[in-house]
Amino acid sequence: MKIKLFKTLFIMSLLFIYNCKAQTTNDYITFYNNVVPKLNTIVPNKTQFYGQNFSNFYNELLNKQLNVVNFSCDTKIDPSSKYYVLRLFFEDSDLWSVATDNPFQYPWISITFENEIPNQIKNMILQNHGEWDNTFVQFFSNMKIEKIKFIGINGYNSTDWSEK
């Protein structure tokens, strides 16, 4: 039940309407074609971050000028109430809506940690509506990475959602 609540809250936060100009299909394609090549440069070397602190991987994202906008947490196995998985998203709610409406792939990273994510993450997500900031960078910084998956990076209009 709690997992469903957090997933629902995450989706609601993504759909929250900001006072921004509406994004177009061309804006989304430009965004996608900017972000995905950068992610693809990390894919071949992702295993070098296994067993390392999240901060090392996050610094790599920053070095590639990849900015995390939203995130969510999930369980490693279902059913469970223990969070091990961090999902990082790069698009704002307007771009997410464009991707969903077309339907386009949206790039994201799934990081599984060796140890359970501390329980306080639940309240932190609720307080920030799943919006990424430096508080979360610090929170996850010393957590050891077990596995990294890149999803939605096979072409914005591809039907191949296989992970890399």
Side-chain angles (χ1 to χ4, degrees):
M1 185 69 149
K2 290 180 183 180
I3 294 170
K4 300 266 188 250
L5 173 67
F6 286 108
K7 287 180 181 178
T8 301
L9 287 172
F10 172 71
I11 290 169
M12 287 174 42
S13 73
L14 288 175
L15 299 175
F16 184 75
I17 299 173
Y18 294 99
N19 293 325
C20 300
K21 74 174 185 101
Q23 300 291 310
T24 67
T25 301
N26 287 337
D27 293 328
Y28 185 80
I29 293 169
T30 299
F31 156 79
Y32 189 93
N33 289 333
N34 179 45
V35 168
V36 170
K38 295 174 185 177
L39 290 171
N40 276 320
T41 65
I42 302 171
V43 170
N45 303 315
K46 70 181 184 177
T47 57
Q48 79 181 23
F49 297 102
Y50 292 10
Q52 299 295 313
N53 288 341
F54 171 77
S55 59
N56 295 338
F57 181 72
Y58 189 72
N59 285 334
E60 182 68 10
L61 294 178
L62 294 178
N63 288 339
K64 302 288 186 193
Q65 298 176 339
L66 289 161
N67 298 312
V68 175
V69 175
N70 290 301
F71 76 102
S72 68
C73 293
D74 202 356
T75 59
K76 190 189 268 190
I77 57 169
D78 206 20
S80 178
S81 60
K82 297 181 179 186
Y83 295 109
Y84 283 84
V85 179
L86 171 65
R87 294 184 177 144
L88 303 176
F89 301 93
F90 304 95
E91 58 280 313
D92 64 22
S93 61
D94 288 338
L95 287 173
W96 184 284
S97 294
V98 172
T100 303
D101 290 345
N102 280 287
F104 292 154
Q105 290 200 20
Y106 43 90
W108 53 286
I109 300 171
S110 177
I111 300 167
T112 303
F113 293 109
E114 292 177 358
N115 296 309
E116 181 182 357
I117 298 170
N119 231 7
Q120 67 205 57
I121 193 64
K122 295 173 186 177
N123 288 332
M124 293 171 70
I125 290 172
L126 289 172
Q127 289 172 350
N128 280 45
H129 309 287
E131 294 176 16
W132 187 257
D133 64 23
N134 284 330
T135 302
F136 296 106
V137 173
Q138 290 302 313
F139 182 82
F140 291 106
S141 66
N142 293 322
M143 293 194 67
K144 302 278 188 223
I145 295 173
E146 178 180 296
K147 185 177 183 180
I148 302 170
K149 296 188 256 180
F150 293 80
I151 298 102
I153 61 172
N154 296 314
Y156 70 89
N157 60 353
S158 174
T159 57
D160 177 8
W161 278 84
S162 60
E163 60 193 42
K164 293 185 181 182

